[in-house]
Amino acid sequence: MPRLANPPRLPRLIVFILTPQTVMLDVTGPLQAFHEARDPATGTPLYRTLLASSHGGPVMTDTGIALDTVALADLDPGEIHTLIAAGSDEMLDALDDANLIGWLEKYRGKIARIGSVCIGAFILGAAGMLNDRACVTHWRWCDRLQAMFPQSRVAPDPIFVRDGPVWTSAGVTTGIDMAVAMIEQDLGRDAALAVARSLIVFIRRPGGQSQFSLPLEHQANDSTGRFDDLHGWIAQNLQTRLSVEDLAEQTGMSPRNFSRTYKSATGLSPARAVELMRLEAARTALEQTEKRISQIAINCGFGDDERMRRCFVKHLGVAPSDYRERFKATT
């Protein structure tokens, strides 16, 4: 009879994989969440946590503090319930660690659940774990992740993504969100709520809430601020057509020159930028107002609620009604 990888009477084993210059919060944030999960009657821990690395020993973090680890070779993969690859300031160097990648490739089928925090997703990609799966990493690295692992489906917006047994999170504090969601999957909503209350975080900030404000992303990409006034004007005129010609007229440029210059400055085509700003405005309205979805769709320039629904599903993976249910502000 095969041995259970996760005996139900024993705490589930969570193993974090560290590489040189691991980002401390990528480890300690979710680790603390798992540590807080206790049996409400006895206070008994419901998880065990372990830090591991390719060859074991101290691993220096980005904070200058070393964390002690065990070697991968000393682990029994069948005992691991969840394996989480943490991000690192030197993540791309870790992809050359044949021992690490080889171990993951060999034993990934024996581990019930696999996850990553921030650019730890690159380790999963190198081991083939992201093939034909939706995934996410820190927004600055999404394009790089997609380019390096073209068989993956990188979604740049969500704070975390679950695709079957593989979970990926955007980075830093989103690792805590992912850990709380894992606890809810394992132990139920009450246990997850208890952890969330202990850590003073939301129980549900699920994969669907964007990593960042879309207009702020435009501003960050446009380091010269050349189109700041245009972005402000767009935000005030979302109900109108907002064609390339309309935008070009606002900047005093020809449509062709505007399109080329805008994409060079922001990394987005004008049409995509307008779409994302409509989406951002609709998200805010769903979170902060009681307006009907059909009215929000008109106010934000989608024309009708079906077009808005397709936009939400495309970028956030949820319909507007589901988004409102999850993120509506409470008073």
Side-chain angles (χ1 to χ4, degrees), residues 10-68:
L10 295 178
R12 293 167 168 84
L13 177 59
I14 312 293
V15 174
F16 291 85
I17 292 183
L18 279 62
T19 57
Q21 293 301 307
T22 286
V23 176
M24 177 72 87
L25 192 55
D26 284 3
V27 177
T28 57
L31 187 152
Q32 188 69 40
F34 289 116
H35 174 74
E36 295 292 329
R38 306 275 172 149
D39 185 305
T42 65
T44 302
L46 298 174
Y47 293 97
R48 292 182 295 138
T49 55
L50 192 63
L51 306 183
S53 64
S54 183
H55 299 289
V59 173
M60 187 61 66
T61 69
D62 64 328
T63 65
I65 298 174
L67 298 176
D68 199 26

Side-chain angles (χ1 to χ4, degrees), residues 40-123:
T42 65
T44 302
L46 298 174
Y47 293 97
R48 292 182 295 138
T49 55
L50 192 63
L51 306 183
S53 64
S54 183
H55 299 289
V59 173
M60 187 61 66
T61 69
D62 64 328
T63 65
I65 298 174
L67 298 176
D68 199 26
T69 66
V70 301
L72 291 175
D74 294 334
L75 297 175
D76 179 352
E79 293 185 352
I80 301 172
H81 180 269
T82 301
L83 184 77
I84 298 176
S88 165
D89 285 348
E90 297 179 0
M91 182 53 63
L92 298 187
D93 292 340
L95 303 186
D96 295 327
D97 186 337
N99 182 67
L100 169 61
I101 303 304
W103 189 92
L104 290 171
E105 290 175 333
K106 182 176 181 179
Y107 293 116
R108 65 187 186 187
K110 293 189 175 183
I111 300 171
R113 186 169 59 200
I114 294 170
S116 66
V117 181
C118 198
I119 57 176
F122 283 79
I123 289 180

Side-chain angles (χ1 to χ4, degrees), residues 283 286-287 312 316 318-327:
R283 285 174 51 207
L286 290 169
E287 293 170 6
F312 266 71
L316 302 179
V318 294
S321 57
D322 294 329
Y323 185 91
R324 169 171 270 174
E325 182 180 352
R326 294 176 180 179
F327 303 121

Side-chain angles (χ1 to χ4, degrees), residues 122-247:
F122 283 79
I123 289 180
L124 304 192
M129 298 178 184
L130 301 183
N131 292 349
D132 300 316
R133 295 191 185 277
C135 58
V136 70
T137 186
H138 189 284
W139 63 271
R140 290 186 183 277
W141 289 84
C142 283
D143 289 345
R144 185 74 174 271
L145 183 66
Q146 185 67 78
M148 290 185 64
F149 306 107
Q151 294 185 59
S152 66
R153 302 191 305 275
V154 180
D157 286 332
I159 60 172
F160 69 82
V161 171
R162 174 193 173 191
D163 191 331
V166 177
W167 300 54
T168 51
S169 65
V172 197
T173 59
T174 65
I176 300 174
D177 295 289
M178 182 180 73
V180 171
M182 288 178 170
I183 292 168
E184 183 174 12
Q185 182 189 50
D186 294 340
L187 306 174
R189 179 178 174 80
D190 289 345
L193 182 58
V195 170
R197 285 173 173 165
S198 176
L199 298 178
I200 317 180
V201 297
F202 295 106
I203 184 175
R204 280 194 180 275
R205 194 163 63 115
Q209 181 141 353
S210 181
Q211 294 188 45
F212 45 80
S213 168
L214 300 171
L216 289 180
E217 179 200 4
H218 300 164
Q219 295 171 24
N221 290 343
D222 178 19
S223 59
T224 66
R226 179 174 183 176
F227 294 109
D228 284 356
D229 290 343
L230 176 65
H231 292 152
W233 181 83
I234 292 173
Q236 296 298 317
N237 292 275
L238 290 174
Q239 292 173 297
T240 64
R241 186 178 61 163
L242 296 178
S243 66
V244 171
E245 290 75 17
D246 295 331
L247 304 183

